[in-house]
Amino acid sequence: MATKKISFGYGMRGQYPAGDDMQVRVAEMLEQGRLARELGYDSIAKSQHYSSSPFQEIQQLPFLARLSAEVPGMTLVTGITLLPLFKPLDIAEQIAALDVFTGGHVIFGAGLGYRDVEFKAFGVPRKQAAKRLEENLIAIQRLWTEDEVSMVGSHFELDRAVCSVKPVQKPRPPIWIGANADVAIERAARMADAWMINPHNRIDTIERQLDVYKRALDKVGKPFPDVLPYSREIFVANSREEAIRQARPYLEEKYKTYHAWGQSDAMPEGDNDLGQAYEDLLQDRFVMGSPDEVAETLAGFVRRLGITYIRTSVQWVGMPQSMVLDQMHRLAEEVFPKVRQAV
């Protein structure tokens, strides 16, 4: 059997209950980062939200910059930056700086976002979000690769603008677009190096949307990417029943909040109810079980979908640090080797 190169990333939400001491929690996140490096994870991704009530959440780029000092040599992923909220020169320079800090080990993950509170706070009409994302992506790539840029967008003007620090990676850092809806997946095919498959949709939805992605790539004459990143909520225990039970209070709270935030509305028809009961929600969506069961499920995803990068999410609101670190160990020591052997 031919060997397929599979990378494993560690995904950080960094969301904690209101009232927690965030100095303590940030120290725990840095401990998770150091452990990920020690255990051989290939990358660390940090998500982004603003106004995260009822949770507290450390902002993405400051945290990744701080983390870069703790995990030399590791790839850091912005997974995802809510790109329509920003101006392109700002993000171009910040990501370039992060690429310098990491010695050229940054992946720029971007997406639309879906929360009205964020769009309103940044003065971004929601109906303009897609246009702003596309304009920003074009401008950022030009700023990274050209000496100076003149470009007028719907929400910015670059007048011989210069990216003060260029990225280490040439010609630029990889760009991944996170997408839920079919039209956003088509945008990822047109404008990015890879579609970052979200952790929320069922496996049958993802299979259907992979066909959407492939057709969109064909339409613009691009080959299927070498890297296909895939995010998933995962919990390892001695049995599937035990995994479902132990993860329940944390995952149930997370998805109840995400449903209230409007995440369901951003998902494709037929798979757009994150408010359903936990027992129904986890079916074909979360990966839970013994090490053998989890490894078999992930290996099956690799074979069925052609994914090459699995971003694991094992830290949810309210979960004790000891449980998070235990999950990281179990995945790296008991699951990843079995997946690599199987594929």
Side-chain angles (χ1 to χ4, degrees):
M1 178 186 296
T3 300
K4 191 176 185 70
K5 175 70 169 87
I6 304 297
S7 299
F8 293 96
Y10 179 62
M12 284 191 185
R13 290 285 173 187
Q15 295 169 334
Y16 293 94
D20 274 15
D21 184 336
M22 288 305 292
Q23 293 182 89
V24 172
R25 298 297 172 243
V26 167
E28 291 178 350
M29 292 171 69
L30 295 174
E31 181 183 19
Q32 293 167 29
R34 291 190 296 269
L35 181 62
R37 183 172 181 266
E38 292 168 11
L39 292 173
Y41 287 76
D42 298 287
S43 63
I44 298 174
K46 172 71 176 73
S47 60
Q48 181 177 62
H49 274 300
Y50 290 89
S51 188
S52 297
S53 178
F55 307 147
Q56 299 182 82
E57 182 168 358
I58 287 290
Q59 263 310 306
Q60 179 190 75
L61 291 176
F63 177 76
L64 288 176
R66 173 67 181 85
L67 179 64
S68 68
E70 304 280 339
V71 292
M74 285 197 78
T75 295
L76 301 184
V77 185
T78 62
I80 59 175
T81 296
L82 303 174
L83 193 53
L85 305 184
F86 304 106
K87 299 293 194 292
L89 183 58
D90 179 26
I91 296 301
E93 294 208 3
Q94 293 208 49
I95 298 298
L98 190 60
D99 204 47
V100 171
F101 294 161
T102 62
H105 293 285
V106 165
I107 294 170
F108 178 43
L112 278 178
Y114 62 90
R115 299 177 63 219
D116 286 336
V117 66
E118 291 169 326
F119 289 126
K120 290 177 180 178
F122 283 83
V124 176
R126 187 165 185 167
K127 63 183 179 181
Q128 294 181 12
K131 183 177 183 179
R132 289 184 180 221
L133 181 141
E134 294 197 12
E135 291 177 337
N136 281 351
L137 278 176
I138 293 167
I140 288 167
Q141 292 179 76
R142 291 188 62 189
L143 286 161
W144 283 342
T145 58
E146 299 177 20
D147 291 336
E148 61 179 32
V149 178
S150 294
M151 175 181 172
V152 177
S154 60
H155 60 295
F156 65 88
E157 179 178 357
L158 301 175
D159 183 8
R160 302 182 65 185
V162 174
C163 188
S164 300
V165 176
K166 290 289 197 275
V168 173
Q169 298 178 80
K170 302 302 179 191
R172 57 168 176 76
I175 297 173
W176 295 353
I177 289 183
N180 292 295
D182 289 8
V183 66
I185 292 167
E186 292 168 350
R187 181 183 303 111
R190 282 192 292 112
M191 304 197 70
D193 299 308
W195 166 37
M196 194 186 312
I197 301 173
N198 72 76
H200 311 307
N201 287 346
R202 296 190 311 263
I203 187 69
D204 62 308
T205 301
I206 293 168
E207 284 186 305
R208 180 189 65 76
Q209 290 187 320
L210 262 177
D211 288 335
V212 173
Y213 185 51
K214 291 173 182 176
R215 288 196 302 270
L217 287 169
D218 289 342
K219 186 175 180 179
V220 295
K222 291 171 65 173
F224 197 81
D226 293 333
V227 177
L228 184 63
Y230 176 80
S231 301
R232 207 77 330 204
E233 315 276 18
I234 304 175
F235 197 93
V236 184
N238 294 327
S239 68
R240 177 169 169 79
E241 293 74 19
E242 183 181 334
I244 291 171
R245 177 181 58 79
Q246 289 188 19
R248 179 170 191 152
Y250 315 113
L251 269 179
E252 197 169 39
E253 177 66 18
K254 171 183 173 174
Y255 277 87
K256 183 189 303 180
T257 300
Y258 273 54
H259 180 64
W261 281 356
Q263 174 74 71
S264 297
D265 298 335
M267 294 170 62
E269 190 68 33
D271 189 9
N272 55 353
D273 182 12
L274 296 181
Q276 58 190 305
Y278 176 72
E279 291 79 8
D280 298 320
L281 187 65
L282 62 85
Q283 298 301 323
D284 296 321
R285 200 181 312 271
F286 308 145
V287 181
M288 297 186 178
S290 67
D292 285 343
E293 289 173 313
V294 170
E296 182 179 352
T297 300
L298 293 178
F301 290 162
V302 172
R303 297 189 195 99
R304 290 169 65 181
L305 305 175
I307 60 176
T308 62
Y309 169 98
I310 299 172
R311 188 177 88 189
T312 63
S313 176
V314 300
Q315 182 268 319
W316 308 302
V317 177
M319 182 182 286
Q321 176 78 342
S322 59
M323 184 179 286
V324 177
L325 301 183
D326 178 67
Q327 286 298 302
M328 294 177 67
H329 272 285
R330 297 201 71 170
L331 281 168
E333 296 164 356
E334 302 175 46
V335 174
F336 297 168
K338 291 185 172 81
V339 177
R340 289 192 171 107
Q341 183 178 30
V343 300

